[in-house]
Amino acid sequence: DTGVSQNPRHKITKRGQNVTFRCDPISEHNRLYWYRQTLGQGPEFLTYFQNEAQLEKSRLLSDRFSAERPKGSFSTLEIQRTEQGDSAMYLCASSPGGAGANVLTFGAGSRLTVL
Amino acid sequence: GNSVTQMEGPVTLSEEAFLTINCTYTATGYPSLFWYVQYPGEGLQLLLKATKADDKGSNKGFEATYRKETTSFHLEKGSVQVSDSAVYFCALRDKSGGGADGLTFGKGTHLIIQP
C-alpha cells in the first residue's frame, strides 16, 4: 500500500471557479477525514466519513463545500465559487475502525491558491 | 469545547541539546493525546500517542507523558539531531466528551536544529 494519496498536489484557480480534490485512502481503512490547514496554523477538522456515510461536518464546511465518498473508497472535496479565503492546504487522512481509529494516516495534501 | 495550546516557535537548538515542547489541552471528556510531526514537503506523521492518564508515549527517542492533573502532554527528547527539524503538532481526540471524531490540533511548533 502506498499510503494516502491526494490529487492534485497544487491547484491555482481564479476566484469564483469551482475546484475538486480527490483522496485515495489506505485500502483497508473505513474512516476518512478532511482537514484544512492555513499557514502557521494547525489542521482544522472539516468532515468525516465512515465507509460511504458522512457522519460529521464542521461548521467550517460552508454551503460552498461538499464532500462525497460514494463507494466507501476514494473521496472528493469540491469547493464551489471559490474565494480568496479558501486558499489553504487541504489534507485527507484515513484510519481503520475499532482500536485503530485513533491513528490517522495523512496524505501530503492538496494546496489551493485562489487568485 | 476542546482546544490545544502549544508553545510558539520557532524553537532553535543546537544538535545534542535537550528538547521540551510544551502542550496543554482543554477537553470535556477523557481525550486521547497525540504528537504529530510534519517534515518539509511531507504529510503529517504520527509520532507518539497516549490514551489515558499517566500513559507515556514514546518513539524515535521522543517521549510524552499524559498528565491529567496538569492537562499537559509535553514532548521531550534527550538529544536532538538535525534530522529532527520539523513542525510538531500536539492534538487530542475526545469522543467520550461528545467531541467530533476528528482530531483537534494545536498551531504547531517549528523546531530548527543547528549542527
Side-chain angles (χ1 to χ4, degrees):
Chain A
D1 198 330
T2 56
V4 178
S5 176
Q6 293 189 243
N7 289 287
R9 292 292 308 275
H10 303 276
K11 178 71 176 178
I12 300 174
T13 191
K14 293 182 179 179
R15 189 178 55 183
Q17 298 295 304
N18 299 344
V19 296
T20 299
F21 300 114
R22 175 179 169 126
C23 173
D24 288 272
I26 292 174
S27 57
E28 59 267 30
H29 286 181
N30 62 354
R31 295 177 174 220
L32 187 147
Y33 304 80
W34 284 100
Y35 288 81
R36 182 176 70 185
Q37 185 178 17
T38 53
L39 196 62
Q41 302 295 317
E44 297 171 294
F45 171 74
L46 291 178
T47 189
Y48 153 60
F49 290 85
Q50 185 163 318
N51 299 312
E52 66 276 9
Q54 188 173 17
L55 296 185
E56 289 187 44
K57 293 199 300 186
S58 162
R59 56 183 169 79
L60 293 176
L61 212 67
S62 76
D63 292 344
R64 296 185 296 105
F65 288 68
S66 62
E68 294 182 344
R69 195 183 183 196
K71 298 182 180 179
S73 57
F74 74 91
S75 176
T76 57
L77 176 68
E78 181 183 16
I79 309 173
Q80 295 182 326
R81 304 181 304 282
T82 52
E83 302 173 355
Q84 288 184 328
D86 297 332
S87 296
M89 180 76 85
Y90 290 86
L91 302 173
C92 178
S94 68
S95 75
N102 266 333
V103 180
L104 273 61
T105 301
F106 281 83
S110 293
R111 181 172 296 282
L112 173 65
T113 301
V114 181
L115 302 176
Chain B
N2 298 331
S3 67
V4 175
T5 302
Q6 57 183 110
M7 62 191 292
E8 294 189 14
V11 173
T12 304
L13 296 172
S14 297
E15 205 166 21
E16 298 184 1
F18 183 86
L19 168 70
T20 301
I21 300 178
N22 290 337
C23 170
T24 57
Y25 68 88
T26 301
T28 53
Y30 303 95
S32 296
L33 301 174
F34 307 84
W35 278 100
Y36 277 79
V37 59
Q38 189 171 33
Y39 298 103
E42 298 184 16
L44 287 126
Q45 303 173 24
L46 178 66
L47 181 59
L48 52 84
K49 66 181 174 77
T51 57
K52 62 183 187 298
D54 300 326
D55 270 1
K56 177 186 283 189
S58 61
N59 186 24
K60 299 181 181 180
F62 290 89
E63 292 183 340
T65 301
Y66 188 146
R67 301 286 188 200
K68 187 169 184 290
E69 63 276 14
T70 54
T71 62
S72 65
F73 193 55
H74 304 321
L75 182 69
E76 297 182 336
K77 187 175 185 183
S79 177
V80 292
Q81 306 300 312
V82 172
S83 58
D84 294 327
S85 298
V87 182
Y88 293 80
F89 293 92
C90 186
L92 68 82
R93 182 173 182 260
D94 182 20
K95 281 301 290 179
S96 62
D101 207 345
L103 296 169
T104 300
F105 284 88
K107 292 186 176 183
T109 302
H110 187 192
L111 175 64
I112 300 169
I113 307 300
Q114 297 177 333

